[in-house]
């Protein structure tokens, strides 16, 4: 019998240097996709998947994240007095209940594995979800929900969301090797963090969503610094894979890497277009803007779509399942 996944860990200690000066005084996870902070998008995905406790591994200058997941009495009472019930509902719906959040600090930037390890006492001896909030994964149902289904179907183990990227990009990610099971789920049999292109077992990468058994913590504790001199989560997963199965869920939506300027802009455009309230108006305005922009570019060198996509790097478009 598999154990229920109740807790999700969100590593949010990164400095966000790629977004300076915007991130000088606010955490990169508080930048917004339309009107929702990036971190809220990841929490939304986790709540949809049934998560009950949200564990944030923060760092210095991240207190805005803690404030975001707290009540704002003055604001609420002003909104109430002004009869702004829609805005009040929004605040209420986004807020995990009292006691459903925990915050701990990664005191030094020692890598993703170390960030996860910092949450070990809060997670305790139970399986948990891990979401890298920079990766916004657009799909219905959400990526973690689909992974929970696989976890239940397989009767436990570990689950990793994977996604195909162009071969030239494999050296920027954790990459998996796999067999397919009879029901189409991947059985991962190899993992390697940021391999040289000619050593990658496939072009399926680890996409930023995980379900992990608590045994991962002792593997992280035993791990030595790996790629980039950091304690790599992937190295600890390789050690755990010798003892437990790792299933791969091939994500079938659209991923935006919001740690990257172009991914972030595209996430805003895609989510703006998908919104019921502003989507139609936004589309018209965007079309006009693009036409005007194209007209102003007639004398300039055109930018080929493939060049743009290459710069976006991690943005991969697929039809949403
Ligand atoms: C991390 C993981 C890597 C994964 C990637 C997804 O790398 O270590 O395995 O493919 O996230 O974004 P990072 O982006 O922190 O270098």
């Amino acid at each position: 019998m598999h154990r229920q996944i109740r807790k999700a860990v969100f590593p949010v200690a990164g400095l966000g240097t790629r977004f300076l000066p915007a991130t000088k005084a606010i955490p990169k996870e508080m930048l917004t996709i339309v009107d929702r902070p990036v971190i809220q998008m990841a929490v939304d995905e986790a709540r949809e998947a049934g998560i009950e406790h949200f564990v944030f591994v923060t760092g210095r200058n991240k207190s805005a994240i803690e404030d975001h997941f707290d009540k704002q009495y003055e604001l609420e009472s002003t909104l109430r007095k002004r009869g702004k019930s829609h805005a009040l509902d929004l605040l209420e719906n986004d807020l995990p209940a009292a006691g459903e959040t925990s915050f701990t600090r990664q005191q030094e930037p020692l890598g993703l594995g170390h960030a996860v390890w910092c949450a070990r006492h809060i997670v305790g001896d139970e399986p948990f979800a891990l979401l890298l909030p920079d990766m916004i994964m657009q799909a219905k149902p959400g990526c973690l929900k689909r992974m929970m289904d696989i976890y239940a179907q397989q009767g436990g183990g570990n689950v990793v969301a994977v996604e195909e990227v162009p071969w030239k990009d494999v050296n920027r990610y954790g990459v998996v090797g796999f067999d397919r099971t009879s029901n189409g789920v991947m059985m991962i049999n190899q993992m390697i963090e940021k391999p040289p292109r000619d050593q990658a077992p496939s072009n399926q990468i680890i996409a930023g969503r995980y379900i992990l058994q608590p045994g991962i913590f002792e593997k992280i504790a035993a791990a030595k610094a790996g790629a980039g001199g950091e304690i790599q989560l992937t190295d600890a997963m390789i050690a755990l894979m010798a003892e437990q199965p790792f299933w791969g869920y091939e994500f079938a939506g659209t991923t935006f890497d919001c740690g990257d300027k172009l991914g972030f802009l595209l996430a805003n455009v895609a989510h703006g277009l998908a919104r019921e309230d502003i989507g139609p108006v936004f589309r018209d305005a965007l079309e006009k803007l693009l036409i005007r922009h194209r007209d102003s570019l007639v004398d300039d060198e055109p930018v080929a779509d493939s060049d743009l996509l290459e710069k976006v790097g991690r943005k991969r478009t697929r039809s949403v399942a």
Side-chain angles (χ1 to χ4, degrees):
M1 198 26 209
H2 61 278
R3 287 196 287 168
Q4 208 198 333
I5 314 291
R6 301 185 309 120
K7 297 179 183 170
V9 174
F10 303 85
V12 290
L15 294 175
T17 46
R18 279 186 280 175
F19 281 89
L20 285 169
T23 49
K24 188 176 167 198
I26 57 163
K28 64 176 171 149
E29 296 80 9
M30 290 302 294
L31 298 176
T32 57
I33 305 299
V34 190
D35 48 14
R36 300 181 79 66
V38 165
I39 186 64
Q40 183 74 54
M41 310 281 290
V43 166
D44 290 347
E45 185 186 327
R47 290 178 104 188
E48 181 209 13
I51 294 298
E52 297 165 5
H53 195 102
F54 306 84
V55 183
F56 301 89
V57 182
T58 72
R60 276 173 290 283
N61 295 326
K62 298 282 181 168
S63 50
I65 296 178
E66 207 162 332
D67 292 340
H68 178 72
F69 291 107
D70 192 8
K71 265 192 185 291
Q72 236 278 32
Y73 281 109
E74 296 87 343
L75 177 63
E76 286 183 18
S77 100
T78 307
L79 291 173
R80 206 163 289 120
K81 273 187 213 138
R82 294 187 183 166
K84 304 257 183 202
S85 54
H86 177 64
L88 265 172
D89 286 351
L90 272 179
L91 290 183
E92 197 139 297
N93 291 344
D94 288 351
L95 192 64
E100 287 181 1
T101 52
S102 295
F103 297 83
T104 187
R105 280 198 177 200
Q106 184 183 24
Q107 295 160 327
E108 293 171 83
L110 296 178
L112 177 60
H114 179 257
V116 173
W117 183 76
C118 290
R120 69 200 180 283
H121 291 301
I122 303 173
V123 170
D125 186 27
E126 56 180 285
F128 63 101
L130 169 67
L131 296 92
L132 309 190
D134 277 355
M135 304 302 275
I136 292 206
M137 303 181 79
Q138 194 183 27
K140 273 191 180 127
C143 182
L144 188 61
K145 172 90 182 68
R146 299 292 289 264
M147 292 167 69
M148 292 285 208
D149 294 343
I150 289 177
Y151 175 75
Q153 269 166 28
Q154 301 300 133
N158 303 268
V159 187
V160 176
V162 302
E163 202 175 12
E164 195 177 310
V165 298
W167 273 96
K168 65 177 176 45
D169 292 334
V170 291
N171 59 340
R172 298 166 48 192
Y173 300 96
V175 178
V176 301
F178 58 90
D179 288 323
R180 285 206 190 267
T181 62
S182 53
N183 55 6
V185 173
M186 286 174 174
M187 176 148 196
I188 296 174
N189 50 30
Q190 243 183 304
M191 285 186 246
I192 175 163
E193 184 68 16
K194 306 203 170 74
R197 290 184 183 106
D198 58 355
Q199 284 171 36
S202 78
N203 59 342
Q204 296 279 0
I205 58 121
I206 297 171
R209 301 288 184 272
Y210 313 73
I211 291 174
L212 295 168
Q213 295 296 324
I216 196 72
F217 293 121
E218 70 187 46
K219 302 301 182 200
I220 298 173
K224 300 204 171 63
E230 298 185 335
I231 308 280
Q232 294 292 345
L233 178 65
T234 304
D235 293 341
M237 292 199 295
I238 294 167
L240 192 60
M241 195 168 56
E243 298 162 15
Q244 299 179 11
F246 271 75
W247 312 109
Y249 162 58
E250 207 176 346
F251 179 62
T254 307
T255 304
F256 301 98
D257 179 2
C258 291
D260 171 279
K261 287 188 189 66
L262 278 168
F264 176 72
L265 283 174
L266 284 167
N268 265 289
V269 173
H271 282 81
L273 289 172
R275 283 271 291 255
E276 273 174 28
D277 51 353
I278 54 161
V281 187
F282 179 49
R283 199 192 58 210
D284 287 351
L286 192 61
E287 272 171 0
K288 285 191 191 113
L289 194 66
L290 282 173
I291 290 167
R292 228 186 303 151
H293 183 67
R294 243 178 254 138
D295 291 347
S296 74
L297 276 183
V298 277
D299 296 331
D300 296 348
E301 275 289 291
V303 179
D305 279 356
S306 57
D307 290 352
L308 184 64
L309 278 177
E310 190 164 330
K311 283 181 203 141
V312 173
R314 294 181 181 187
K315 162 73 177 64
R316 300 170 291 279
T317 344
R318 289 220 211 114
S319 57
V320 176

